[in-house]
């Protein structure tokens, strides 16, 4: 028999209490948080879809491993296990542990960036862009044309536009290109996958020009699911083999272990070049910790070693991708504009299309994030002009290309009934669509403003 219901391929051994709140309570909480969901307390939230990062539920095997964490300062066995798992996956001989992804980004991009340097990517994630710009370099997004069309269906909307890449290398001069970064899956571009063919083309162009090719691999297992099921020639390969094949194309990778390593904290930088590894390692020891733990405890490293095995289990990945699609397809069925097809870790709602009466200067995505919290206690994140907007010389907003709201699904945390509750909340929002108002920013910091900005309804 073929079952339609996607059951979670795990049983729940430990539960975490959720505090139920009323709409009136949430109205007060939201006001106190100055309309920025990042400033809410987690116990004011019913379903937390702010991020899939560091929010995974660990398995009994990971918790078992944690008790065996070796907390030695140097050469801990937990480090050796983590290092071996990463070497096997990435084919990189040099692995640098870091406390999370952005620390690895900082080590590498600060080393190879700086004034006059340029980076290209399918889409730079916000911390990636911030680290590059902080070094003085420029980050240029080159998503494929399909990736910019929210409603167009394409199997690999996360791809990098290789024609534009070649043009841009010509324009800026290969010697000024610090690296090409392929983000798999493409988070800011809708959680959309990158094909192996695209990765191969990018690798070939980089090789031809002697440019460093880096994978931002934090969701590479999810990306491998899409390759196996959508790209010709991969259905006989395992998810792990597909990931290994993609890693092998790159000169190195940064990974936030808080995603596909199924842990709450951790990351790494893996490199093939000894010289570059030594330079980064020096800064690692100064800023993060000794080279066999980075910013991690032994138990963290143990959990990463186990998580990097578990994430490639077919039952897990199948449930993961299909349960994200379950939410996205249900919203699409209600007529809610979502990026199609549904990505791996999140559903992205096109807030500009949903709230067409709110101008981009008034942040329709922020408005939708606030409405979801108000009606359902659901927390999510704007990925639009609050996150990526800039100002021109006259202080006028240069909006982001898209005004999205991301419903990121923590791994192994929520059941189908939590997701049905989210769908129900969206149904309720359809009835009060026209009543939603825009926002203005009353405070913002110079970098990564979405985390701490404050708002007022207009
Ligand atoms: N690269 C990508 C593609 C990411 O999605 C993230 C984090 C990072 C790098 C940085 O990793 O958080 O461990 O320092 N993304 C989280 C998110 C924060 O919500 O999407 P980190």
């Amino acid at each position: 028999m073929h079952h339609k219901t996607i059951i979670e391929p795990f049983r729940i051994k430990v539960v975490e209490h959720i505090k139920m709140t009323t709409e009136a309570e949430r109205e007060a909480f939201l006001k106190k948080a100055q309309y920025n969901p990042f400033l809410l307390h987690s116990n004011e939230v019913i379903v937390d879809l702010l991020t899939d990062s560091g929010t995974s539920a660990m398995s009994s095997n990971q918790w078992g491993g944690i008790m065996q964490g070796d907390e030695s300062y140097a050469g801990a066995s937990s480090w050796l296990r983590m290092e071996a798992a990463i070497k096997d996956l990435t084919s990189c001989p040099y692995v640098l542990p870091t406390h999370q992804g952005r620390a690895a980004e900082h080590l590498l991009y600060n080393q190879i960036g700086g004034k006059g340097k340029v980076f290209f990517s399918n889409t730079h994630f916000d911390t990636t862009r911030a680290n590059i710009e902080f070094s003085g370099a420029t980050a240029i997004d080159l998503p494929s044309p399909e990736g910019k069309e929210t409603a167009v269906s394409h199997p690999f909307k996360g791809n990098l536009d290789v024609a534009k890449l070649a043009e841009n290398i010509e324009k800026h001069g290969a010697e000024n290109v610090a690296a090409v970064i392929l983000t798999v899956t493409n988070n800011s571009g809708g959680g959309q996958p990158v094909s192996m063919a695209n990765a191969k083309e990018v690798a070939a162009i980089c090789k031809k020009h002697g440019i460093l090719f880096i994978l931002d691999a934090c969701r590479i297992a999810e990306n491998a699911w899409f390759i196996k099921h959508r790209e010709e020639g991969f259905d006989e390969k395992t998810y792990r083999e597909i990931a290994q094949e993609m890693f092998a194309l790159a000169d190195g990778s940064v990974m936030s272990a808080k995603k596909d390593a199924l842990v709450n904290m951790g990351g790494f930088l893996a490199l093939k070049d000894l010289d570059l590894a030594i330079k980064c390692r020096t800064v690692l020891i100064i800023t993060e910790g000794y080279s066999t733990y980075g910013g991690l405890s032994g138990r963290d490293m143990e959990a990463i070693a186990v998580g990097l095995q578990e994430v490639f289990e077919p039952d897990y990945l199948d449930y993961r991708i299909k349960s994200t699609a379950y939410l996205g397809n249900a919203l699409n069925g209600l007529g809610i504009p979502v990026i199609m097809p549904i990505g791996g870790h999140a559903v992205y709602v096109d807030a500009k299309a949903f709230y067409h009466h709110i101008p981009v200067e008034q942040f329709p995505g922020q408005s939708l994030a606030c409405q979801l919290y108000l009606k359902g206690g659901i927390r999510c994140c704007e990925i639009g002009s609050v996150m990526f907007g800039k100002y021109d010389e006259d202080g006028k907003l240069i909006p982001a290309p898209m005004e999205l709201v991301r419903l990121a699904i923590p791994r192994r945390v929520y059941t189908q009934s939590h997701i049905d509750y989210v769908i129900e909340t969206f149904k309720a929002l359809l009835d009060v669509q026209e009543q939603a108002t825009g926002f203005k920013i009353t405070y913002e910091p110079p970098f990564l403003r979405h985390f701490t900005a404050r708002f007022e309804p207009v």
Side-chain angles (χ1 to χ4, degrees):
M1 168 183 175
H2 175 74
H3 289 275
K4 204 163 142 260
T5 307
I6 313 153
I7 68 162
E8 291 77 16
F10 47 80
R11 297 184 298 186
I12 298 165
K13 186 176 325 216
V14 177
V15 297
E16 210 178 343
H17 188 72
I18 296 176
K19 187 176 175 314
M20 294 299 167
T21 52
T22 64
E23 192 168 329
E25 286 170 325
R26 293 193 293 269
E27 206 175 317
F29 293 145
L30 194 58
K31 198 165 171 207
K32 184 193 69 179
Q34 296 179 77
Y35 304 95
N36 185 347
F38 277 102
L39 302 178
L40 288 166
H41 296 177
S42 66
N43 65 3
E44 297 162 351
V45 175
I46 295 177
V47 178
D48 206 344
L49 306 183
L50 187 63
T51 181
D52 63 317
S53 180
T55 51
S56 301
M58 288 201 286
S59 67
S60 48
N61 278 333
Q62 285 176 295
W63 282 108
I66 276 172
M67 284 309 290
Q68 292 175 33
D70 176 353
E71 305 301 341
S72 306
Y73 190 93
S77 54
S78 299
W79 157 247
L80 297 175
R81 266 191 285 279
M82 170 176 161
E83 187 192 31
I86 295 166
K87 277 186 178 171
D88 176 57
L89 207 52
T90 62
S91 60
C92 284
Y94 310 109
V95 183
L96 285 67
T98 59
H99 79 277
Q100 64 182 89
R102 71 197 67 180
E105 294 179 326
H106 185 69
L107 289 176
L108 181 62
Y109 302 149
N110 212 41
Q111 194 60 241
I112 62 175
K115 214 169 155 44
K117 293 284 182 189
V118 53
F119 290 74
F120 301 119
S121 175
N122 45 348
T123 311
H124 296 84
F125 182 65
D126 61 352
T127 60
T128 316
R129 174 173 287 281
N131 270 302
I132 289 168
E133 291 177 353
F134 195 73
S135 84
T138 307
I140 299 176
D141 291 340
L142 303 172
S144 65
E146 312 81 51
K148 290 183 251 179
E149 302 292 332
T150 54
V152 172
S153 217
H154 183 280
F156 291 103
K157 282 173 91 172
N159 283 354
L160 187 146
D161 188 333
V162 284
K164 282 254 168 69
L165 176 63
E167 259 171 49
N168 271 276
I169 292 171
E170 196 76 26
K171 184 175 147 200
H172 292 268
E175 69 282 7
N176 298 315
V177 183
V180 176
I181 304 163
L182 203 52
T183 310
V184 299
T185 57
N186 189 3
N187 183 4
S188 311
Q192 298 290 322
V194 174
S195 69
M196 190 69 82
N198 191 248
K200 279 185 184 156
E201 281 182 285
V202 172
I205 293 174
C206 287
K207 194 160 192 183
K208 183 174 143 202
H209 295 279
I211 295 170
L212 197 71
F213 173 28
I214 298 296
L215 266 192
D216 179 336
C218 62
R219 298 182 180 86
I220 194 157
E222 292 172 3
N223 199 80
W225 187 94
F226 289 105
I227 289 178
K228 185 175 167 85
H229 297 280
R230 289 186 187 168
E231 192 166 354
E232 220 180 292
F234 291 91
D235 55 344
E236 297 294 316
K237 298 207 164 126
T238 65
Y239 297 118
R240 166 177 286 276
E241 284 165 351
I242 294 169
Q244 284 168 323
E245 187 173 333
M246 192 172 263
F247 271 120
L249 294 169
D251 299 307
S253 48
V254 288
M255 181 161 176
S256 166
K258 299 169 74 172
K259 284 84 166 171
D260 272 352
L262 299 170
V263 295
N264 306 118
M265 195 51 73
F268 64 81
L269 167 63
L271 292 167
K272 289 183 180 162
D273 182 68
L274 175 61
D275 217 41
L276 186 56
I278 289 173
K279 285 184 183 136
C280 293
R281 189 171 287 154
T282 305
V283 184
L284 171 79
I285 297 172
I286 295 170
T287 58
E288 285 276 300
Y290 184 61
S291 57
T292 65
Y293 71 86
L296 300 171
S297 39
R299 52 184 172 273
D300 293 328
M301 298 193 284
E302 199 69 46
I304 290 170
V306 178
L308 284 175
Q309 308 299 328
E310 285 181 358
V311 76
F312 291 105
E313 281 169 14
D315 289 343
Y316 162 74
L317 268 182
D318 218 40
Y319 139 81
R320 170 69 180 159
I321 304 298
K322 286 181 180 165
S323 60
T324 303
Y326 172 82
L327 171 60
N329 290 331
L331 297 185
N332 189 43
L334 289 175
I336 312 253
V338 291
I339 292 191
M340 294 298 283
I342 305 306
H345 69 295
V347 174
Y348 292 71
V349 184
D350 182 349
K352 193 153 64 175
F354 189 66
Y355 287 148
H356 44 78
H357 62 290
I358 301 177
V360 290
E361 292 75 23
Q362 293 178 15
F363 310 115
Q366 196 66 20
S367 186
L368 180 54
C370 288
Q371 285 293 315
L372 278 167
Y373 177 70
L374 214 56
K375 295 292 172 208
I378 298 157
R379 174 155 71 169
C380 55
C381 175
E382 191 259 20
I383 299 196
S385 292
V386 172
M387 190 181 271
F388 288 126
K390 303 242 159 172
Y391 296 109
D392 69 11
E393 280 157 19
D394 305 324
K396 195 172 169 306
L397 178 79
I398 307 166
M402 296 190 260
E403 302 297 330
L404 303 174
V405 161
R406 184 183 73 170
L407 309 168
I409 320 290
R411 294 171 181 77
R412 305 190 290 208
V413 171
Y414 293 115
T415 63
Q416 188 172 330
S417 69
H418 291 104
I419 298 302
D420 286 336
Y421 171 92
V422 175
I423 296 165
E424 225 175 274
T425 308
F426 266 96
K427 258 189 220 158
L429 285 192
L430 280 171
D431 299 334
V432 292
Q433 214 166 345
E434 303 298 325
Q435 290 163 25
T437 60
F439 284 87
K440 71 168 188 219
I441 296 179
T442 57
Y443 161 80
E444 61 181 294
F447 282 98
L448 300 172
R449 69 173 172 187
H450 54 285
F451 288 130
T452 52
R454 275 128 221 232
F455 300 86
E456 232 171 52
V458 290

